[in-house]
Each structure stands twice: as C-alpha cells, then as structure tokens.
Amino acid sequence: MGIDNLMPEISIEKIKHSNDLIMFYTGLPDFLTFQALLESLIEHGADKLCTESVGEMNVNSLGRKRKLRRVDEFLMVMMRLRLG
C-alpha cells in the first residue's frame, strides 16, 4: 500500500506496558490516554492526511510517502512536543 512499515528503535509496542516510559517519552500519564488521544484525532480527520497523489491534487505539494505507521508517527510527534 506504499507504506514500508519500518520499525523505529522506539515504537509504541516497546513502551506501552510501562506508564513510566509513556510519561517519559510523551508526557502523557499512560497508554490508554495515548490511545484515546490518537483515536480522537483520527475521528476528527487525522487519518485523512495524505502524502500521496489523490485525484487532481498537485503532486508537488503532498510531501514524501509514509515510512512509519501512523501510531509510530504520532509517537514521534508526541516525543518531539515533549522535548520542545
């Protein structure tokens, strides 16, 4: 489907069983909160974000194809926000 599904060194599967690790990497108290936030964003259209050509959209404005799963992309965003 165009996504290679590469596994980063830190993935949600590696930290979801530890509230301390979830808090350390994301600032969220636990995995259930992480999951609820991700699902809420998806319900509000985050899953509609596209990096590939769709219809008559300008291919030059769409960015690169996905390399990670959405859940891992979200984890990386949360980690980046935590450091910011």
Side-chain angles (χ1 to χ4, degrees), residues 6-21:
L6 299 175
M7 293 298 291
E9 286 187 38
I10 298 176
S11 67
I12 196 63
E13 288 81 12
K14 293 180 182 177
I15 67 170
K16 73 180 184 179
H17 302 292
S18 168
N19 290 342
D20 289 337
L21 290 175

Side-chain angles (χ1 to χ4, degrees), residues 46-54 57 62-64 66 70:
D47 64 329
K48 307 264 187 298
L49 296 176
C50 181
T51 59
E52 298 178 20
S53 178
V54 177
M57 294 178 72
L62 296 174
R64 296 183 288 177
R66 293 185 186 279
R70 282 191 177 109

Side-chain angles (χ1 to χ4, degrees), residues 20-30 33 78-79 82:
D20 289 337
L21 290 175
I22 291 287
M23 177 62 85
F24 177 78
Y25 285 111
T26 69
L28 299 172
D30 53 38
T33 304
M78 293 303 295
M79 290 169 61
R82 177 82 168 138

Side-chain angles (χ1 to χ4, degrees), residues 23-40:
M23 177 62 85
F24 177 78
Y25 285 111
T26 69
L28 299 172
D30 53 38
F31 176 68
L32 292 177
T33 304
F34 175 90
Q35 190 173 26
L37 181 56
L38 177 59
E39 288 173 5
S40 176

